[in-house]
Amino acid sequence: MKVVLSLGGSMLMQDFNAERVKHYAEKIESIAAKHRILVVVGGGRVARDYISTARSLGADETLCDYIGTGVTKLNAMLLISAIEQASRIIPDDFRQAYELSINHPVVVMGGTFPGHTTDATAALLAEFVRADVLLNATSVDGVYSADPKKDPNAMRYERITAKELISIVSAGESKAGSSNVIDLLAAKVIERSGIKTIIFLGEPENIEKALKGEVKGIGTVVEG
Ligand code: UTP
């Protein structure tokens, strides 16, 4: 199988905890023993701190996006430090990622161009390389009918369609550094490509469960 993993920066990078990065690296290597895996790493809190400082200095949203992308690439380099069999090159675009994946069981990249988050980067990559599944390892345990932090009656879906996902995330904002369960562009790419997607609480031990489609208590399956 060909697997694309979108690994949220807020999951991977928690106070520069090397043990945690190692734990993710081990899980990725164990998937790579059986499958080809391409990982897109997010920026997390460090990216958000850079973006808010740049914005307060007068940066426009596109410049903020470039800054965020820079941090995602740093995080990608940190992750490959712990994965021997990963390509040493962090691809700048999908064609380069595809090319590298021919000879490397693991390819890790960050963001690409402004206007979206690494969720969309991962969805576009999954479409381009014709991945069998897109795993979105994020900081929430799936997709809810409303923001569970604001609405106590919000309910978590175990399965939804891509169309339903689009209507849920359409309500969110799209500024640099903003957080939604998944970004709108990603949801639209998932719909048009029909790629099976799992959105789940991205702790290292959940990645293999998500790959098997075992989402009970940890996430949501999005049928393309
Ligand atoms: P992230 O994908 O990390 O955003 O990209 P996020 O939603 O904060 O995800 P977590 O916290 O890592 O889970 C950080 C920022 O980098 C820019 C955007 O501004 C995004 O908010 N970015 C990222 C781009 O402009 N293009 C990309 O392809 C990726």
Side-chain angles (χ1 to χ4, degrees):
M1 268 206 311
K2 200 178 272 182
V3 180
V4 169
L5 169 67
S6 175
L7 179 52
S10 42
M11 297 310 294
L12 176 72
M13 284 293 289
Q14 293 183 352
D15 295 322
F16 292 89
N17 180 340
E19 278 309 309
R20 190 170 171 86
V21 175
K22 217 175 180 176
H23 204 169
Y24 279 107
E26 284 163 6
K27 295 295 176 190
I28 290 165
E29 280 175 325
S30 102
I31 290 176
K34 293 194 202 125
H35 310 284
R36 203 151 283 260
I37 178 163
L38 297 96
V39 185
V40 180
V41 179
R45 209 191 69 207
V46 178
R48 271 191 282 279
D49 286 351
Y50 263 95
I51 288 167
S52 65
T53 307
R55 197 179 277 136
S56 72
L57 292 168
D60 56 72
E61 290 304 304
T62 304
L63 178 53
C64 289
D65 282 341
Y66 276 119
I67 291 169
T69 300
V71 177
T72 65
K73 289 185 174 185
L74 286 176
N75 287 346
M77 283 189 260
L78 204 71
L79 181 60
I80 63 162
S81 310
I83 306 176
E84 208 174 311
Q85 52 183 326
S87 155
R88 299 289 101 183
I89 297 169
I90 303 297
D92 292 314
D93 62 36
F94 306 123
R95 286 181 290 193
Q96 199 184 5
Y98 175 77
E99 212 166 31
L100 289 167
S101 75
I102 295 168
N103 291 319
H104 297 86
V106 183
V107 174
V108 182
M109 66 186 288
T112 49
F113 48 84
H116 53 71
T117 73
T118 46
D119 294 337
T121 313
L124 289 162
L125 177 66
E127 179 176 63
F128 187 68
V129 303
R130 297 172 184 269
D132 298 284
V133 66
L134 169 61
L135 304 180
N136 193 285
T138 186
S139 57
V140 287
D141 59 354
V143 181
Y144 283 76
S145 53
D147 184 345
K149 288 185 201 121
K150 294 179 192 153
D151 182 351
N153 297 320
M155 55 164 222
R156 185 163 58 83
Y157 298 107
E158 205 147 284
R159 297 191 102 78
I160 54 169
T161 64
K163 270 204 167 55
E164 287 165 335
L165 181 66
I166 291 173
S167 82
I168 291 165
V169 298
S170 291
E173 60 171 11
S174 62
K175 281 161 80 177
S178 59
S179 61
N180 209 338
V181 62
I182 192 163
D183 82 19
L184 180 59
L185 178 60
K188 290 191 169 173
V189 174
I190 290 165
E191 192 208 12
R192 78 176 183 188
S193 62
I195 188 154
K196 182 179 181 178
T197 302
I198 318 285
I199 299 173
F200 66 104
L201 181 63
E203 291 297 338
E205 61 275 13
N206 288 344
I207 297 176
E208 269 170 329
K209 281 189 210 160
L211 182 59
K212 290 183 200 146
E214 293 168 5
V215 292
K216 211 169 177 46
I218 63 161
T220 301
V221 177
V222 183
E223 305 286 0

